[in-house]
Amino acid sequence: MSTNSHDRLLIIDFGSQVTQLIARRLRELNVYCEIHPFQKVTDAFLAAFAPKAVILSGGPASVFADGAPMPPAGVFTLGVPVLGICYGQQVMMHVLGGKVERGHGTAEFGRAYVTAKGGDLPLLEGWFADGREQVWMSHGDHVSRLAPGFEVYGTSPNAPFAITADTDRNFYAVQFHPEVHHTPKGAQLYENFVALAGFGGDWTMGAYKDEAIRRIRDQVGTSKVICGLSGGVDSSVAAVLIHEAIGDQLTCVFVDTGLMRQGEAAEVVGMFRDNYNIPLIHADESELFLGRLDGQSDPETKRKIIGGLFIDVFQKHAHAVGGAEFLAQGTLYPDVIESVSFSGGPSVTIKSHHNVGGLPEKMGLKLVEPLRELFKDEVRALGRELGLPASFVGRHPFPGPGLAIRCPGEITREKLAILRQADAVYIDQIRRHGLYDEIWQAFVAILPVKTVGVMGDGRTYDYACALRAVTSVDGMTADYYPFSHEFLGETATRIINEVPGINRVTYDVTSKPPGTIEWE
Ligand code: XMP
């Protein structure tokens, strides 16, 4: 649980796929909120958290199931507004004396239309101007009798109790999901909820920056801190923030693995050393990394080699700093949120993600993680607040293992050089067409296959490459970006003309799932 001093809203998670979206909608309204799994929210937890309002999320369970997830009773005696969503609504009715029935015949998934019923409700300010509102439903069970004190304010054909409220107690319960895009007026509903709960919108990046600086100073005192810079937005923002807090007590280490993009090492080192005057160790370890990767083609083996070497190298250079007690990491809020697991089983490892995991224990370091409470877009806002150049703050994410996972199969220096050039042309194309900021991530993967082509009068036998561009909110799911055929044609022509070694360009139109964003 965080200790910041803002008004706080608690989201109790019952395992909906879209719980994080509730938090995002609220943060957009400058409301500080945290998501916690229902198992953890006890009455003691509630007292310590002291929320100004509570939201009960949706979830896949049925209130009839054995051990059905429930909020602690204290939620309803805190005297603060409570909003139940989907399963959250059913739980409210179940606990407060209403009736929920199994869904036979009334399961409703997808778009539905709610019409107004009953009197005015502050929660619905701005709703129903055109008579009805589109909402997104996703439920099997349904409420068949309201708990005492509740009234209906909106109905849909399959959900007679789509919007309900007990205005005396400030309890609100809706059957649909206001947090998803398919409920166009959903953001308005959240805005109304936090307004009636008395939130003043005190969660701004300016205020957060000052507070984060104070907290870093309190935590670190006069100790030294080291920070691994990857060139990505998160570690960069963390470094600049910490530097602003403790100045030269911070030293950054940039490990050049030889797997960076064109001009990347110079750009990152230049920015930090020259513009910010942050003490920086630039460790060129490309020989080591590329040497150990030589001949390796299995994706997990490659990832493990890189992860292991990174720890060794970082440790070696960090020792040079002498006496550091803290390690700074750009951990974000989505990495911290504990997910609700009903099965209790371990999830499958799709990829062993590389970060500096393992380092703190190995080196006996304590962690400074000043971005733990932030979503990616908030990190970007904080970066702007700290004066980082817009071009840097808006950069697409770049994975720790770098170009290694964009070079499926064996990695060679020749392939890396070709890949760097092709990637630079592709990104240049995207920027020229003004598309960079619409895309979550774009890159080229060089394929482990050569194909036959004809250039001028001659035969070519060169590598094929794949262009990847996706839209995403958090990298967990993604859609391919719908470039125009003109754009794709022009880009293919440029790559083939400007990059010796490539004679065929393809566009990857796989979404995630079932694909992943990176090729390995
Ligand atoms: P995938 O390929 O798993 O990628 O769909 C999701 C997001 O994570 C990034 N990615 C990584 N980031 N270390 C990182 O720091 C890694 O090992 C790693 N692998 C993938 C990927 O670029 C995308 O943004």
Side-chain angles (χ1 to χ4, degrees):
M1 197 190 305
S2 124
T3 52
N4 73 50
S5 60
H6 296 269
D7 284 343
R8 309 142 74 72
L9 188 148
L10 173 65
I11 301 167
I12 303 182
D13 185 18
F14 293 107
S16 160
Q17 299 291 321
V18 288
T19 302
Q20 274 201 31
L21 289 180
I22 304 175
R24 297 185 63 83
R25 294 291 92 81
L26 295 168
R27 295 281 183 98
E28 282 159 16
L29 296 165
N30 299 332
V31 167
Y32 184 76
C33 59
E34 288 183 19
I35 300 174
H36 291 279
F38 71 91
Q39 298 97 325
K40 198 168 120 186
V41 183
T42 58
D43 285 329
F45 180 97
L46 277 178
F49 192 96
K52 206 177 170 77
V54 176
I55 293 181
L56 309 177
S57 87
S62 167
V63 293
F64 303 110
D66 282 347
M70 292 289 152
V75 164
F76 302 109
T77 52
L78 275 177
V80 302
V82 180
L83 171 63
I85 292 163
C86 197
Y87 180 78
Q89 179 192 45
Q90 293 162 17
V91 153
M92 279 173 88
M93 294 307 150
H94 186 74
V95 171
L96 297 172
K99 190 163 179 208
V100 179
E101 284 185 39
R102 291 192 191 278
H104 307 298
T106 56
E108 203 176 11
F109 295 96
R111 204 172 270 113
Y113 291 91
V114 175
T115 49
K117 193 169 175 187
D120 285 342
L121 188 68
L123 184 74
L124 300 175
E125 187 75 41
W127 272 53
F128 300 127
D130 304 322
R132 62 176 197 167
E133 297 293 352
Q134 181 188 308
V135 300
W136 190 257
M137 296 279 189
S138 174
H139 63 103
D141 296 348
H142 67 285
V143 174
S144 61
R145 193 184 69 230
L146 291 179
F150 278 81
E151 285 178 42
V152 188
Y153 291 88
T155 66
S156 79
N158 284 321
F161 302 127
I163 304 172
T164 64
D166 173 343
T167 50
D168 286 345
R169 290 188 286 177
N170 253 332
F171 291 165
Y172 305 87
V174 299
Q175 182 62 79
F176 54 88
H177 288 273
E179 60 277 14
V180 303
H181 278 312
H182 309 284
T183 303
K185 289 264 183 74
Q188 172 84 61
L189 190 144
Y190 282 116
E191 190 173 344
N192 296 337
F193 179 67
V194 297
L196 68 84
F199 283 88
D202 63 352
W203 174 252
T204 62
M205 275 308 130
Y208 180 74
K209 184 187 100 179
D210 298 339
E211 187 176 304
I213 288 175
R214 266 198 311 281
R215 282 195 278 168
I216 293 166
R217 286 187 185 140
D218 287 348
Q219 185 189 1
V220 169
T222 55
S223 304
K224 285 187 183 167
V225 180
I226 48 169
C227 175
L229 278 186
S230 64
V233 179
D234 308 338
S235 61
S236 303
V237 171
V240 175
L241 179 69
I242 295 170
H243 189 250
E244 198 151 322
I246 58 167
D248 287 357
Q249 285 164 252
L250 171 74
T251 303
C252 291
V253 182
F254 175 74
V255 179
D256 185 346
T257 55
L259 299 161
M260 315 307 277
R261 289 169 295 189
Q262 192 160 288
E264 188 143 35
E267 202 181 318
V268 173
V269 172
M271 187 169 103
F272 282 88
R273 194 179 277 162
D274 307 339
N275 292 351
Y276 282 94
N277 230 351
I278 298 181
L280 174 66
I281 297 170
H282 177 190
D284 182 354
E285 299 284 357
S286 44
E287 291 296 325
L288 175 68
F289 278 80
L290 297 183
R292 289 281 291 281
L293 287 166
D294 193 28
Q296 302 293 343
S297 58
D298 175 68
E300 276 301 291
T301 309
K302 284 159 69 176
R303 280 177 171 273
K304 296 237 161 76
I305 290 174
I306 295 167
L309 280 179
F310 195 89
I311 292 184
D312 294 346
V313 165
F314 190 87
Q315 197 171 8
K316 179 175 90 188
H317 291 285
H319 275 311
V321 174
E325 269 184 48
F326 289 90
L327 173 75
Q329 283 190 343
T331 314
L332 302 193
Y333 189 46
D335 308 324
V336 175
I337 299 172
E338 295 169 51
S339 56
V340 169
S341 162
F342 291 101
S343 65
S347 55
V348 180
T349 303
I350 308 291
K351 302 177 182 187
S352 349
H353 268 225
H354 154 104
N355 50 33
V356 280
L359 258 181
E361 301 84 61
K362 233 179 152 171
M363 298 179 66
L365 293 173
K366 290 175 266 185
L367 282 176
V368 192
E369 296 179 307
L371 312 180
R372 274 177 76 85
E373 297 171 344
L374 307 184
F375 285 104
K376 189 94 180 174
D377 50 351
E378 293 175 314
V379 172
R380 293 196 159 118
L382 179 59
R384 285 190 288 274
E385 197 67 44
L386 287 161
L388 277 153
S391 58
F392 205 85
V393 169
R395 281 178 116 194
H396 293 169
F398 186 60
L403 298 183
I405 57 176
R406 296 177 178 178
C407 192
E410 274 188 45
I411 300 167
T412 64
R413 283 166 202 272
E414 181 212 9
K415 280 201 230 168
L416 286 176
I418 296 171
L419 173 55
R420 272 192 196 102
Q421 253 187 301
D423 193 73
V425 173
Y426 180 43
I427 298 297
D428 180 59
Q429 272 291 101
I430 289 174
R431 286 198 191 279
R432 281 192 199 184
H433 285 257
L435 302 174
Y436 190 85
D437 293 336
E438 283 181 34
I439 293 170
W440 164 265
Q441 226 172 347
F443 56 86
V444 174
I446 184 164
L447 305 186
V449 59
K450 285 191 167 184
T451 73
V452 173
V454 50
M455 266 181 112
D457 290 328
R459 174 188 192 267
T460 58
Y461 186 57
D462 287 325
Y463 286 107
C465 74
L467 311 181
R468 184 78 163 134
V470 295
T471 55
S472 177
V473 184
D474 50 14
M476 304 294 287
T477 59
D479 275 328
Y480 74 88
Y481 186 81
F483 286 125
S484 68
H485 284 283
E486 289 72 23
F487 174 90
L488 288 171
E490 190 183 301
T491 307
T493 305
R494 271 195 67 191
I495 290 177
I496 290 167
N497 285 343
E498 295 175 32
V499 185
I502 288 191
N503 69 356
R504 192 173 298 267
V505 175
T506 64
Y507 186 47
D508 177 355
V509 292
T510 320
S511 60
K512 173 184 178 177
T516 54
I517 296 176
E518 304 287 350
W519 273 55
E520 283 193 339

